[in-house]
Amino acid sequence: MSELKEISSNKIFNGYQKVFSHQSKELSCEMNFAIFLPADSAEKKLPVLYYLSGLTCNELNCVQKSGFQRYAAEKGLIVVCPDTSPRNIEGLDTKDFSWDFGYGAAFYVDSTTDAYKKNFRMYSYITSELIDVINSNFNVIPNKQSIFGHSMGGHGALIAALKTGLYKSVSAFAPISNPINCPWGEKCFTGYLGDNRESWKEYDATELVAKYNGPPLELFIDQGSEDQFLKENQLLPNNLIEAAKKAQVPFIYKLRDGYDHSYFFIATFIGEHIDYHAKHLL
Amino acid sequence: MSELKEISSNKIFNGYQKVFSHQSKELSCEMNFAIFLPADSAEKKLPVLYYLSGLTCNELNCVQKSGFQRYAAEKGLIVVCPDTSPRNIEGLDTKDFSWDFGYGAAFYVDSTTDAYKKNFRMYSYITSELIDVINSNFNVIPNKQSIFGHSMGGHGALIAALKTGLYKSVSAFAPISNPINCPWGEKCFTGYLGDNRESWKEYDATELVAKYNGPPLELFIDQGSEDQFLKENQLLPNNLIEAAKKAQVPFIYKLRDGYDHSYFFIATFIGEHIDYHAKHLL
């Protein structure tokens, strides 16, 4: 396993917020991730909560804007925030890249198309390589992990949990719940997975929950009522909820009056999410 | 008074974080400010806490990175975050501008030099015009106001409180405490106030505290021990403290072990500062 390089380290709420880079095998590039280490992580193995960010984001958005460190410090949870895509791939044709495709928009799938299959393997990176990196380099309790995220990353958290059974709990802020049926998902899945829409179902939370047969898992979905992307039918939480109901997969759905898609929404409720994950991890 | 234009509005912690722009008379340009309105500000007049940001910042840094809204919502305080300088002045010669001089670096003084005296009047903007704008447009208790800030803005808060007596309390994160004796201050004061160093004393917190004779005021200074700018002698808090001791102006000085100059430091202790101001305002 390649070495970690420490990029930054800042004391916050008596712990440390750090950023590291490492050479990723899955993505064939240098990747950054952020990690919050509570004060007692030096003496004590702690559980890990993974946070996946949304379109255009990198490892820092949640670190700088959500205020999660206060709650993670209180509960004693390590929180890991990876980047949202491979970056700066030499020789890659980026002419089709835009804010919602390519860098910052890898959608947490393993690409199968010739153009992207070498590097755009965020699903394997998140659910396997990154877990190994964290378990090998930090004082964590292996297999005591949960996952959450926002928008594209909320969906990433849901598919990671539904496909692997590796996580004790999962929650999502305003997830893109049924990407095979919304413009953002259709664009990315076409690019990363090709034109065979049947193959897309393996990375769609609504499809996956319908056939879920892993360990007991509850889906915690948080949604602002004034989210513009909810209104534009990019998020489609009702499709996910209907599928969960039919499949008898338990879920919590909180519709928050007046909140939008921003980190102001996330900052308001991330304490509740960390409480939720702490109950499953501690 | 010129009209306010709403630039953005996001629900957070049951209140609203908004940004407005207005035409400033003091600065002769369009200015943005951010304002947090707690949930009950619609029915009830509330006190106002002003936050002044540091070098390179604008009205959004504290809004996005400090997490203050949670605490302000709990206490029921309106929080106003102005920009740190005039912006985009047509016809202004900006050849001497850099990250620590000019836009984003106006140091909360009223300039007296020919080049800048028309626009760089942040002292009057903060202590007079902006207060009028807030009092006229929002549901506030006039004269129930406090002020705090960070670095250049921590110093701005100190001089605003010491020079005007308008604020019920003042606190500062890592303030540039004695700018006439540090490189950042010398550069900006030369540019905005000219070569006569005697004239600089009117805008130096350490000088002002030495001759303070306003209403009872305590200075609350918060400082990280690992702040690189403390080590580089840009901040000089001990000069301020010695002057306050001599002048018998009460102060609280908290040296926080291991914290640096960043918003991670501010995020950790801003709840304590808001508690402090709430005690003076409520």
Side-chain angles (χ1 to χ4, degrees):
Chain A
M1 188 170 299
S2 73
E3 255 178 56
L4 299 188
K5 272 187 279 189
E6 188 174 289
I7 305 293
S8 65
S9 176
N10 301 88
K11 194 167 181 183
I12 180 167
F13 287 104
N14 218 26
Y16 280 89
Q17 179 63 60
K18 291 173 182 273
V19 176
F20 290 93
S21 77
H22 71 120
Q23 185 63 34
S24 164
K25 274 190 188 166
E26 290 291 354
L27 308 174
S28 300
C29 70
E30 190 87 1
M31 287 293 284
N32 281 3
F33 65 85
I35 184 165
F36 172 69
L37 300 166
D40 50 353
S41 70
E43 310 101 55
K44 204 174 149 188
K45 286 186 187 300
L46 297 178
V48 184
L49 177 57
Y50 290 87
Y51 177 91
L52 306 185
S53 215
L55 290 167
T56 77
C57 291
N58 61 24
E59 74 281 2
L60 292 179
N61 298 67
C62 183
V63 163
Q64 294 178 335
K65 292 184 169 178
S66 75
F68 81 78
Q69 294 92 347
R70 173 179 172 168
Y71 310 100
E74 282 169 6
K75 296 292 177 187
L77 296 180
I78 290 171
V79 178
V80 175
C81 304
D83 200 349
T84 56
S85 77
R87 300 274 180 188
N88 307 315
I89 311 293
E90 241 175 88
L92 189 69
D93 181 354
T94 60
K95 73 174 184 320
D96 292 332
F97 281 18
S98 63
W99 73 271
D100 60 358
F101 184 75
Y103 295 145
F107 241 98
Y108 306 102
V109 303
D110 283 353
S111 173
T112 54
T113 55
D114 286 344
Y116 303 114
K117 68 185 180 191
K118 184 176 171 223
N119 303 101
F120 280 67
R121 296 181 50 76
M122 284 298 288
Y123 175 73
S124 289
Y125 176 70
I126 295 297
T127 59
S128 173
E129 183 180 9
L130 184 61
I131 294 176
D132 289 345
V133 167
I134 299 301
N135 290 356
S136 309
N137 287 281
F138 300 95
N139 206 14
V140 309
I141 310 172
N143 306 321
K144 273 270 190 183
Q145 64 216 357
S146 290
I147 193 162
F148 68 152
H150 173 228
S151 196
M152 176 183 76
H155 183 259
L158 289 168
I159 62 173
L162 289 164
K163 283 169 78 75
T164 67
L166 281 174
Y167 304 90
K168 301 296 176 198
S169 52
V170 61
S171 75
F173 294 100
I176 301 169
S177 298
N178 187 196
I180 69 174
N181 287 315
C182 80
W184 280 338
E186 288 173 320
K187 180 175 180 176
C188 282
F189 282 21
T190 302
Y192 303 134
L193 303 174
D195 290 328
N196 176 5
R197 296 176 76 105
E198 202 55 35
S199 74
W200 297 2
K201 294 183 176 174
E202 282 308 302
Y203 289 108
D204 181 285
T206 297
E207 294 288 333
L208 290 167
V209 78
K211 56 177 191 178
Y212 183 69
N213 63 358
L217 186 71
E218 181 181 69
L219 313 180
F220 175 11
I221 310 297
D222 213 316
Q223 178 63 56
S225 71
E226 295 303 308
D227 185 328
Q228 66 170 116
F229 303 115
L230 178 68
K231 297 175 182 183
E232 292 171 11
N233 291 321
Q234 293 280 18
L235 306 180
L236 307 171
N238 291 330
N239 295 4
L240 177 67
I241 287 165
E242 286 310 312
K245 271 186 198 165
K246 265 192 209 158
Q248 300 189 303
V249 173
F251 64 89
I252 300 167
Y253 180 57
K254 302 221 173 181
L255 189 66
R256 312 287 192 170
D257 185 49
Y259 287 87
D260 61 25
H261 200 70
S262 70
Y263 267 87
F264 298 111
F265 158 61
I266 296 174
T268 305
F269 299 108
I270 202 163
E272 211 173 302
H273 284 243
I274 288 178
D275 270 6
Y276 176 81
H277 292 294
K279 275 183 201 131
H280 291 81
L281 289 169
L282 296 173
Chain B
M1 189 172 295
S2 72
E3 254 178 57
L4 299 187
K5 272 187 280 185
E6 188 174 291
I7 305 293
S8 64
S9 177
N10 302 88
K11 194 168 182 182
I12 179 167
F13 287 104
N14 217 26
Y16 280 90
Q17 179 63 59
K18 292 174 182 272
V19 176
F20 290 93
S21 77
H22 71 120
Q23 185 63 34
S24 164
K25 273 190 190 166
E26 290 291 354
L27 309 173
S28 300
C29 70
E30 190 87 3
M31 288 293 286
N32 282 2
F33 65 85
I35 184 166
F36 172 70
L37 300 166
D40 50 354
S41 70
E43 311 102 54
K44 204 176 149 187
K45 286 186 188 301
L46 297 178
V48 184
L49 178 56
Y50 289 87
Y51 177 91
L52 306 185
S53 215
L55 289 167
T56 77
C57 291
N58 61 23
E59 74 281 2
L60 292 179
N61 298 66
C62 183
V63 163
Q64 294 177 335
K65 292 183 169 179
S66 75
F68 80 80
Q69 294 93 346
R70 173 179 172 170
Y71 311 99
E74 282 169 6
K75 297 291 177 187
L77 296 180
I78 290 171
V79 178
V80 175
C81 304
D83 200 348
T84 56
S85 77
R87 300 273 180 188
N88 308 314
I89 311 292
E90 242 176 85
L92 189 69
D93 181 356
T94 60
K95 72 173 186 319
D96 292 333
F97 282 17
S98 62
W99 73 271
D100 60 359
F101 183 74
Y103 296 146
F107 241 98
Y108 306 103
V109 302
D110 282 353
S111 173
T112 54
T113 54
D114 286 344
Y116 304 113
K117 67 185 179 191
K118 186 180 168 216
N119 303 102
F120 280 67
R121 296 181 51 76
M122 285 297 288
Y123 175 73
S124 289
Y125 175 70
I126 295 297
T127 60
S128 173
E129 183 179 8
L130 183 62
I131 294 177
D132 289 345
V133 167
I134 299 301
N135 290 356
S136 309
N137 287 281
F138 300 95
N139 206 13
V140 309
I141 311 173
N143 306 321
K144 273 272 190 180
Q145 64 216 357
S146 289
I147 191 161
F148 68 152
H150 173 228
S151 197
M152 175 183 77
H155 183 259
L158 290 167
I159 61 173
L162 289 164
K163 283 168 79 72
T164 67
L166 281 174
Y167 304 90
K168 302 295 177 199
S169 52
V170 59
S171 74
F173 294 100
I176 301 170
S177 298
N178 186 194
I180 69 174
N181 288 315
C182 81
W184 279 338
E186 288 173 320
K187 179 174 181 177
C188 281
F189 282 21
T190 302
Y192 303 134
L193 303 175
D195 290 328
N196 176 6
R197 296 176 78 105
E198 202 56 33
S199 74
W200 298 2
K201 294 184 177 174
E202 283 309 302
Y203 289 109
D204 182 285
T206 297
E207 294 288 334
L208 290 167
V209 78
K211 55 176 191 177
Y212 184 69
N213 63 358
L217 186 71
E218 181 182 70
L219 312 180
F220 175 11
I221 310 297
D222 213 316
Q223 178 62 56
S225 72
E226 294 303 308
D227 184 328
Q228 67 170 114
F229 303 115
L230 178 69
K231 297 175 182 184
E232 292 171 10
N233 291 322
Q234 295 279 18
L235 307 180
L236 307 172
N238 291 331
N239 295 4
L240 177 67
I241 287 164
E242 286 310 311
K245 272 187 199 164
K246 268 193 209 159
Q248 300 191 300
V249 172
F251 64 89
I252 301 166
Y253 180 59
K254 302 222 174 180
L255 188 66
R256 312 288 192 170
D257 185 50
Y259 287 87
D260 61 26
H261 200 70
S262 70
Y263 268 88
F264 298 111
F265 158 60
I266 296 174
T268 305
F269 299 108
I270 202 164
E272 213 174 300
H273 284 242
I274 286 177
D275 270 6
Y276 176 81
H277 292 294
K279 274 183 203 131
H280 290 81
L281 289 168
L282 298 173

Coordinates of all heavy atoms in Angstrom, one line a residue, chain A residues 7-61:
Chain A
I7 N -1.2 16.6 4.0 CA -1.3 17.8 3.2 C -1.6 19.0 4.2 O -1.1 20.1 4.0 CB -2.5 17.8 2.2 CG1 -2.3 16.6 1.3 CG2 -2.7 19.1 1.5 CD1 -1.2 16.7 0.4
S8 N -2.4 18.7 5.2 CA -2.8 19.8 6.2 C -3.2 19.1 7.5 O -3.7 18.0 7.5 CB -3.8 20.7 5.7 OG -5.0 20.0 5.5
S9 N -3.1 19.9 8.6 CA -3.5 19.4 9.9 C -3.9 20.6 10.7 O -3.1 21.5 10.9 CB -2.4 18.7 10.5 OG -2.7 18.3 11.9
N10 N -5.2 20.6 11.2 CA -5.7 21.8 11.9 C -6.4 21.3 13.1 O -7.3 20.4 13.0 CB -6.7 22.6 11.1 CG -6.0 23.2 9.8 OD1 -6.1 22.5 8.8 ND2 -5.5 24.4 9.9
K11 N -6.1 21.8 14.3 CA -6.8 21.4 15.5 C -8.2 22.0 15.5 O -8.4 23.2 15.1 CB -6.1 21.9 16.8 CG -6.6 21.2 18.0 CD -5.6 21.5 19.2 CE -6.1 20.8 20.5 NZ -5.2 21.1 21.6
I12 N -9.2 21.2 15.8 CA -10.6 21.7 15.9 C -11.4 20.8 16.9 O -11.2 19.6 16.9 CB -11.3 21.6 14.5 CG1 -12.7 22.1 14.5 CG2 -11.2 20.2 13.8 CD1 -13.4 22.4 13.2
F13 N -12.1 21.4 17.7 CA -12.9 20.7 18.8 C -12.0 19.7 19.5 O -12.4 18.5 19.6 CB -14.2 20.2 18.2 CG -15.2 21.2 17.9 CD1 -15.4 21.6 16.6 CD2 -15.9 21.8 18.9 CE1 -16.4 22.6 16.3 CE2 -16.8 22.8 18.7 CZ -17.1 23.2 17.4
N14 N -10.8 20.1 19.8 CA -9.9 19.3 20.6 C -9.3 18.1 19.8 O -8.5 17.3 20.4 CB -10.5 18.8 21.9 CG -9.6 18.8 23.0 OD1 -8.6 19.6 23.0 ND2 -9.8 18.0 24.0
G15 N -9.8 17.8 18.6 CA -9.2 16.8 17.7 C -8.5 17.4 16.6 O -8.1 18.6 16.6
Y16 N -8.2 16.6 15.6 CA -7.5 17.2 14.4 C -8.3 16.9 13.1 O -8.7 15.7 12.9 CB -6.1 16.6 14.3 CG -5.2 17.4 15.2 CD1 -5.0 16.9 16.5 CD2 -4.5 18.6 14.8 CE1 -4.2 17.7 17.4 CE2 -3.7 19.3 15.7 CZ -3.6 18.8 17.0 OH -2.8 19.6 17.8
Q17 N -8.4 17.9 12.3 CA -8.9 17.8 10.9 C -7.7 17.7 10.0 O -6.9 18.7 9.9 CB -9.8 18.9 10.6 CG -10.4 18.9 9.2 CD -11.2 17.6 9.0 OE1 -12.2 17.5 9.6 NE2 -10.8 16.8 8.0
K18 N -7.5 16.6 9.4 CA -6.3 16.4 8.5 C -6.8 16.1 7.1 O -7.9 15.6 6.8 CB -5.4 15.3 9.0 CG -4.7 15.6 10.3 CD -4.0 14.4 10.9 CE -3.4 14.8 12.3 NZ -2.0 15.3 12.2
V19 N -5.9 16.4 6.1 CA -6.0 16.0 4.7 C -4.8 15.2 4.4 O -3.6 15.7 4.7 CB -6.3 17.2 3.8 CG1 -6.3 16.7 2.3 CG2 -7.5 17.9 4.2
F20 N -5.0 14.1 3.7 CA -3.9 13.3 3.2 C -4.0 13.0 1.7 O -5.1 13.1 1.2 CB -3.8 11.9 3.9 CG -3.4 12.0 5.4 CD1 -4.4 12.0 6.4 CD2 -2.1 11.9 5.7 CE1 -4.1 12.1 7.7 CE2 -1.8 11.9 7.1 CZ -2.7 12.0 8.1
S21 N -2.9 12.8 1.1 CA -3.0 12.3 -0.3 C -2.3 10.9 -0.4 O -1.5 10.6 0.5 CB -2.3 13.3 -1.3 OG -0.9 13.1 -1.2
H22 N -2.8 10.1 -1.3 CA -2.1 8.8 -1.5 C -2.3 8.4 -3.0 O -3.2 9.0 -3.7 CB -2.8 7.8 -0.6 CG -4.2 7.4 -1.0 ND1 -4.5 6.1 -1.3 CD2 -5.3 8.1 -1.1 CE1 -5.8 6.1 -1.6 NE2 -6.3 7.3 -1.5
Q23 N -1.5 7.5 -3.5 CA -1.6 7.0 -4.8 C -2.7 5.9 -4.8 O -2.5 4.9 -4.2 CB -0.3 6.5 -5.3 CG -0.2 6.0 -6.7 CD -0.5 7.2 -7.7 OE1 -0.1 8.3 -7.5 NE2 -1.1 6.9 -8.8
S24 N -3.8 6.1 -5.6 CA -4.9 5.1 -5.6 C -4.6 4.1 -6.7 O -4.4 4.5 -7.9 CB -6.2 5.8 -5.8 OG -7.2 4.8 -6.2
K25 N -4.7 2.8 -6.4 CA -4.6 1.8 -7.4 C -5.8 1.7 -8.2 O -5.8 1.6 -9.4 CB -4.4 0.4 -6.7 CG -3.0 0.1 -6.4 CD -2.9 -1.4 -5.9 CE -1.4 -1.6 -5.4 NZ -1.3 -2.9 -4.7
E26 N -7.0 1.8 -7.6 CA -8.3 1.7 -8.3 C -8.4 2.8 -9.4 O -8.9 2.6 -10.4 CB -9.5 1.8 -7.4 CG -9.6 0.5 -6.5 CD -10.1 -0.7 -7.2 OE1 -10.4 -0.6 -8.4 OE2 -10.1 -1.8 -6.6
L27 N -8.0 4.0 -9.0 CA -8.2 5.2 -9.8 C -7.0 5.6 -10.6 O -7.1 6.5 -11.5 CB -8.7 6.4 -8.9 CG -9.8 6.1 -8.0 CD1 -10.1 7.2 -7.0 CD2 -11.1 5.7 -8.7
S28 N -5.9 4.9 -10.4 CA -4.6 5.2 -11.1 C -4.3 6.7 -11.1 O -3.9 7.3 -12.1 CB -4.7 4.7 -12.5 OG -4.9 3.4 -12.6
C29 N -4.5 7.3 -9.9 CA -4.1 8.7 -9.8 C -3.9 9.0 -8.3 O -4.2 8.2 -7.4 CB -5.1 9.7 -10.4 SG -6.6 9.8 -9.5
E30 N -3.3 10.2 -8.0 CA -3.1 10.7 -6.6 C -4.5 11.2 -6.1 O -5.2 11.9 -6.9 CB -2.1 11.8 -6.7 CG -1.6 12.3 -5.3 CD -0.4 11.5 -4.8 OE1 0.1 10.6 -5.5 OE2 0.0 11.8 -3.7
M31 N -4.9 10.7 -5.0 CA -6.2 11.2 -4.4 C -6.0 11.8 -3.0 O -5.2 11.4 -2.2 CB -7.1 9.9 -4.3 CG -7.6 9.4 -5.6 SD -8.8 10.5 -6.4 CE -10.3 10.3 -5.4
N32 N -6.8 12.8 -2.8 CA -6.9 13.4 -1.4 C -8.1 12.8 -0.7 O -9.1 12.5 -1.3 CB -7.1 14.9 -1.5 CG -5.8 15.7 -1.8 OD1 -4.8 15.1 -2.1 ND2 -5.9 17.0 -1.9
F33 N -7.9 12.7 0.6 CA -9.1 12.5 1.5 C -8.9 13.3 2.8 O -7.7 13.5 3.2 CB -9.3 11.0 1.8 CG -8.3 10.3 2.6 CD1 -8.3 10.4 4.0 CD2 -7.3 9.6 2.0 CE1 -7.3 9.8 4.8 CE2 -6.3 9.0 2.7 CZ -6.3 9.1 4.1
A34 N -10.0 13.7 3.4 CA -9.9 14.4 4.7 C -10.3 13.4 5.7 O -11.1 12.5 5.5 CB -10.9 15.6 4.6
I35 N -9.7 13.6 6.9 CA -10.1 12.7 8.0 C -10.1 13.5 9.3 O -9.2 14.3 9.6 CB -9.1 11.5 8.2 CG1 -9.6 10.5 9.3 CG2 -7.7 11.9 8.3 CD1 -8.9 9.2 9.2
F36 N -11.2 13.4 10.1 CA -11.3 14.0 11.4 C -11.0 13.0 12.5 O -11.6 11.9 12.5 CB -12.7 14.6 11.7 CG -12.8 15.1 13.1 CD1 -12.1 16.2 13.5 CD2 -13.6 14.4 14.0 CE1 -12.3 16.7 14.8 CE2 -13.8 14.9 15.3 CZ -13.1 16.0 15.7
L37 N -10.0 13.3 13.3 CA -9.6 12.4 14.4 C -9.9 13.0 15.7 O -9.3 14.0 16.1 CB -8.0 12.1 14.2 CG -7.6 11.5 12.9 CD1 -6.1 11.6 12.8 CD2 -8.0 10.0 12.9
P38 N -10.9 12.5 16.4 CA -11.2 13.1 17.7 C -10.1 13.0 18.7 O -9.1 12.2 18.5 CB -12.4 12.2 18.2 CG -12.9 11.5 17.0 CD -11.7 11.4 16.1
A39 N -10.1 13.7 19.8 CA -9.0 13.8 20.7 C -8.6 12.5 21.2 O -7.4 12.2 21.4 CB -9.4 14.7 21.9
D40 N -9.5 11.6 21.4 CA -9.1 10.3 22.1 C -8.7 9.2 21.0 O -8.5 8.1 21.4 CB -10.3 9.8 23.0 CG -11.6 9.8 22.3 OD1 -11.7 10.3 21.2 OD2 -12.6 9.2 22.9
S41 N -8.6 9.6 19.8 CA -8.3 8.6 18.8 C -6.8 8.1 18.9 O -6.4 7.1 18.3 CB -8.5 9.1 17.4 OG -7.6 10.1 17.0
A42 N -6.0 8.9 19.6 CA -4.6 8.5 19.8 C -4.5 7.2 20.7 O -3.8 6.3 20.5 CB -3.8 9.6 20.4
E43 N -5.4 7.2 21.8 CA -5.3 6.0 22.7 C -6.3 4.9 22.5 O -6.2 3.9 23.1 CB -5.6 6.5 24.2 CG -4.8 7.7 24.6 CD -5.7 8.9 24.6 OE1 -6.8 8.9 25.2 OE2 -5.3 9.9 23.9
K44 N -7.3 5.2 21.6 CA -8.4 4.3 21.6 C -8.8 4.1 20.1 O -8.9 5.0 19.3 CB -9.5 5.1 22.3 CG -10.6 4.3 22.9 CD -11.6 5.2 23.7 CE -13.0 4.6 23.6 NZ -13.9 5.6 24.2
K45 N -9.2 2.8 19.8 CA -9.7 2.5 18.5 C -11.1 3.1 18.4 O -11.9 2.9 19.3 CB -9.7 1.0 18.3 CG -8.3 0.4 18.0 CD -8.4 -1.1 17.6 CE -7.1 -1.7 17.5 NZ -6.2 -1.1 16.5
L46 N -11.4 3.7 17.3 CA -12.8 4.3 17.2 C -13.4 3.8 15.9 O -12.8 3.4 14.9 CB -12.6 5.9 17.1 CG -12.1 6.5 18.4 CD1 -12.0 8.0 18.2 CD2 -12.9 6.2 19.6
P47 N -14.8 3.9 15.9 CA -15.5 3.6 14.6 C -15.3 4.7 13.6 O -14.9 5.8 13.9 CB -17.0 3.6 15.0 CG -17.0 3.7 16.5 CD -15.7 4.3 16.9
V48 N -15.6 4.4 12.3 CA -15.4 5.4 11.2 C -16.7 5.6 10.5 O -17.5 4.7 10.2 CB -14.4 4.8 10.2 CG1 -14.2 5.9 9.1 CG2 -13.1 4.4 10.9
L49 N -17.0 6.9 10.3 CA -18.1 7.3 9.5 C -17.6 7.9 8.2 O -16.8 8.9 8.2 CB -19.0 8.3 10.3 CG -20.2 8.9 9.7 CD1 -21.2 7.9 9.2 CD2 -20.9 9.9 10.7
Y50 N -18.0 7.4 7.1 CA -17.6 7.9 5.7 C -18.7 8.9 5.2 O -19.9 8.6 5.3 CB -17.4 6.8 4.7 CG -16.2 5.9 5.1 CD1 -16.3 4.8 5.9 CD2 -15.0 6.2 4.5 CE1 -15.2 4.1 6.2 CE2 -13.9 5.5 4.8 CZ -14.0 4.4 5.7 OH -12.8 3.7 6.0
Y51 N -18.2 10.0 4.7 CA -19.1 11.0 4.1 C -18.8 11.2 2.6 O -17.7 11.6 2.3 CB -19.0 12.3 4.8 CG -19.9 13.4 4.2 CD1 -21.2 13.6 4.7 CD2 -19.4 14.2 3.2 CE1 -22.0 14.6 4.1 CE2 -20.2 15.2 2.6 CZ -21.5 15.4 3.1 OH -22.3 16.3 2.5
L52 N -19.8 11.0 1.7 CA -19.5 11.2 0.3 C -20.2 12.5 -0.2 O -21.4 12.7 0.1 CB -20.1 10.0 -0.5 CG -19.6 8.6 -0.1 CD1 -20.2 7.5 -1.0 CD2 -18.1 8.5 0.0
S53 N -19.5 13.3 -0.8 CA -19.9 14.6 -1.2 C -20.6 14.6 -2.6 O -20.6 13.5 -3.3 CB -18.7 15.6 -1.2 OG -19.1 16.9 -0.8
G54 N -21.2 15.7 -3.0 CA -22.0 15.8 -4.2 C -21.3 16.4 -5.4 O -20.0 16.6 -5.3
L55 N -22.0 16.6 -6.5 CA -21.4 17.1 -7.7 C -20.7 18.4 -7.5 O -21.1 19.2 -6.7 CB -22.6 17.4 -8.7 CG -23.3 16.2 -9.3 CD1 -24.6 16.7 -10.0 CD2 -22.4 15.5 -10.3
T56 N -19.5 18.5 -8.1 CA -18.6 19.7 -8.1 C -17.8 19.7 -6.8 O -16.9 20.5 -6.7 CB -19.3 21.1 -8.2 OG1 -19.9 21.4 -7.0 CG2 -20.4 21.1 -9.3
C57 N -18.1 18.9 -5.8 CA -17.3 19.0 -4.6 C -16.0 18.2 -4.6 O -15.8 17.4 -5.5 CB -18.2 18.4 -3.4 SG -19.6 19.5 -3.1
N58 N -15.2 18.5 -3.6 CA -14.0 17.6 -3.3 C -14.0 17.2 -1.8 O -15.1 17.3 -1.2 CB -12.7 18.3 -3.8 CG -12.5 19.6 -3.0 OD1 -13.0 19.8 -1.9 ND2 -11.8 20.5 -3.6
E59 N -12.9 16.9 -1.3 CA -12.8 16.4 0.1 C -13.1 17.4 1.1 O -13.2 17.1 2.3 CB -11.5 15.7 0.3 CG -10.3 16.6 0.5 CD -9.7 17.1 -0.8 OE1 -10.3 16.8 -1.9 OE2 -8.7 17.8 -0.8
L60 N -13.1 18.7 0.7 CA -13.1 19.8 1.7 C -14.5 20.4 1.9 O -14.7 21.1 3.0 CB -12.2 20.9 1.2 CG -10.7 20.5 1.3 CD1 -9.8 21.7 0.8 CD2 -10.3 20.1 2.7
N61 N -15.5 20.2 1.1 CA -16.7 20.9 1.2 C -17.4 20.6 2.6 O -17.7 21.5 3.3 CB -17.7 20.6 0.1 CG -17.2 21.0 -1.2 OD1 -16.2 20.4 -1.7 ND2 -17.8 22.0 -1.9

